[in-house]
């Protein structure tokens, strides 16, 4: 579209220029006609004096007219053919220069966006590492609920899927003026992003599995505690029958087991 507009503008300017040249030529022709008429009057005056001078004057006049016509033909050829071509090519060159400057500006903008997005990953990476360290400490504490661990979704690097990779190479090449260096740095950046995406996906997958297994173990633990307490109550009934109705709480067969059960199991610890 820009090329078409530039071409139309050049043709329009060339057409105006041709019209201006044509008008100048017409004015020049009018002045020539006046000069011819004046010369012819003088020849008429000279005709009355000498026939020989008359012939000589007319011959000179015809030669001058032929020379003027030839010059006008060359000028018309330049105006009609070469001038529009020149301005068309000139418009195309201007368009190419504008496109080059526009592309360079857009490349710098995309490059700055890449740099900004990469720098935005620094703090989330540090916070995610700290969160994992805190989780490891909290999960080892006794009688605690399952610790919550924050996940920073920016580490999935989805934002880089919307950025132009070709623009990144052009930006680096524009900065270092070296194609091989631009490719090397670009590959390093994409490699870093790929590793980070892999680590984040692995972290999310393992955290989900770990939580699921943890909750499953807690459920099994609670089921087994219920079984143990139920069996211990049945055991107390059996001892009571042996003791002829006396409370078995002072019997060592019951007392030692009861101390263990009520100290470590009956409170239902959240941490396995």
């Amino acid at each position: 579209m820009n090329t078409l507009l530039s071409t139309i503008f050049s043709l329009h300017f060339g057409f105006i220029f041709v019209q201006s040249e044509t008008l100048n030529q017409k004015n020049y022709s009018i002045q020539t006609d006046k000069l011819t008429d004046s010369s012819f009057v003088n020849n008429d005056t000279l005709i009355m004096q000498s026939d020989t001078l008359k012939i000589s004057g007319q011959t000179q006049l015809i030669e001058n007219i032929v020379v003027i016509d030839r010059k006008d033909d060359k000028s018309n050829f330049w105006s009609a053919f070469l001038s529009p071509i020149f301005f068309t090519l000139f418009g195309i060159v201007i368009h190419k220069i504008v496109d080059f400057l526009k592309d360079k500006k857009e490349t710098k903008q995309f490059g700055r966006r890449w740099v900004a997005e990469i720098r935005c990953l620094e703090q989330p990476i540090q916070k995610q590492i700290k969160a994992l360290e805190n989780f490891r400490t909290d999960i080892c504490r006794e009688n605690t609920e399952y610790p919550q661990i924050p996940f920073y979704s920016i580490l999935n690097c989805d934002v880089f899927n919307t950025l132009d990779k070709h623009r990144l190479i052009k930006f680096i090449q524009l900065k270092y003026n070296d194609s091989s260096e631009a490719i090397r740095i670009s590959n390093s950046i994409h490699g870093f992003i790929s590793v980070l995406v892999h680590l984040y996906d692995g972290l999310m997958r393992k955290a989900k599995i770990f939580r699921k297994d943890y909750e499953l173990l807690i459920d099994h633990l609670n089921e087994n505690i219920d079984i143990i307490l139920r069996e211990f109550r049945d055991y107390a009934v059996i001892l009571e029958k042996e003791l002829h109705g006396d409370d078995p709480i002072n019997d060592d067969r019951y007392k030692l087991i009861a101390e263990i059960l009520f100290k470590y199991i009956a409170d239902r610890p959240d941490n396995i």
Side-chain angles (χ1 to χ4, degrees), residues 9-269:
F9 172 78
S10 301
L11 291 175
H12 178 68
F13 186 84
F15 179 72
I16 295 175
F17 179 80
V18 170
Q19 285 185 331
S20 176
E21 289 293 327
T22 304
L23 182 60
N24 291 334
Q25 291 169 7
K26 288 182 179 180
N27 293 334
Y28 181 77
S29 297
I30 293 172
Q31 294 177 0
T32 305
D33 292 341
K34 291 181 180 180
L35 178 61
T36 303
D37 292 342
S38 176
S39 300
F40 185 74
V41 171
N42 293 333
N43 289 335
D44 289 343
T45 304
L46 295 174
I47 288 172
M48 296 174 62
Q49 297 177 2
S50 173
D51 292 338
T52 303
L53 184 59
K54 169 188 173 183
I55 295 173
S56 176
Q58 290 179 345
T59 302
Q60 183 67 29
L61 177 62
I62 292 172
E63 291 178 354
N64 292 336
I65 292 174
V66 171
V67 171
I68 292 175
D69 289 340
R70 290 178 179 175
K71 291 182 178 180
D72 289 344
D73 290 341
K74 293 180 180 180
S75 178
N76 290 334
F77 177 77
W78 162 256
S79 300
F81 296 100
L82 298 182
S83 179
I85 295 174
F86 169 77
F87 285 106
T88 300
L89 295 177
F90 179 75
I92 294 174
V93 172
I94 292 298
H95 173 70
K96 292 296 183 182
I97 294 175
V98 171
D99 284 348
F100 172 77
L101 296 177
K102 182 180 178 181
D103 182 72
K104 185 177 181 180
K105 181 179 179 181
E106 291 179 352
T107 299
K108 289 183 177 180
Q109 291 176 348
F110 275 93
R112 295 190 189 100
R113 175 73 185 280
W114 272 93
V115 173
E117 293 296 344
I118 292 174
R119 287 178 176 174
C120 287
L121 296 174
E122 182 178 1
Q123 289 188 356
I125 291 174
Q126 295 176 354
K127 290 181 179 179
Q128 190 66 77
I129 294 174
K130 185 65 176 178
L132 291 174
E133 292 175 348
N134 293 336
F135 175 79
R136 182 177 60 183
T137 301
D138 294 339
I139 200 70
C140 293
R141 292 176 181 175
E142 295 182 358
N143 300 326
T144 60
E145 296 181 354
Y146 186 85
Q148 298 297 324
I149 176 172
F151 297 101
Y152 298 89
S153 59
I154 190 176
L155 298 181
N156 62 13
C157 299
D158 285 343
V159 66
F160 294 102
N161 295 330
T162 62
L163 299 182
D164 192 343
K165 296 180 180 180
H166 180 65
R167 291 280 188 179
L168 175 62
I169 295 179
K170 293 178 65 175
F171 173 75
I172 300 174
Q173 186 174 358
L174 187 64
K175 185 175 180 63
Y176 293 97
N177 196 25
D178 188 341
S179 300
S180 58
E181 183 69 9
I183 295 175
R184 186 189 67 80
I185 296 176
S186 177
N187 291 337
S188 298
I189 293 175
H190 295 310
F192 165 76
I193 293 174
S194 298
V195 170
L196 189 60
V197 171
H198 176 73
L199 291 175
Y200 180 79
D201 291 342
L203 173 63
M204 296 297 294
R205 183 175 62 257
K206 291 180 180 180
K208 184 178 180 179
I209 294 174
F210 183 84
R211 184 183 181 94
K212 181 179 179 180
D213 291 345
Y214 181 90
E215 293 175 349
L216 183 63
L217 289 174
I218 293 296
D219 292 340
H220 288 170
L221 175 63
N222 290 329
E223 292 175 0
N224 291 327
I225 289 176
D226 291 337
I227 293 173
I228 291 174
L229 293 177
R230 183 172 62 250
E231 294 293 334
F232 184 67
R233 286 194 299 266
D234 294 340
Y235 176 69
V237 172
I238 295 174
L239 288 178
E240 187 176 355
K241 289 180 180 181
E242 290 184 4
L243 296 174
H244 306 287
D246 292 340
D247 191 349
I249 190 171
N250 294 321
D251 191 290
D252 290 339
R253 293 175 296 175
Y254 177 88
K255 181 179 180 180
L256 297 178
I257 297 175
E259 289 177 354
I260 295 175
L261 287 178
F262 290 111
K263 181 178 181 180
Y264 296 104
I265 297 178
D267 291 340
R268 303 293 177 97

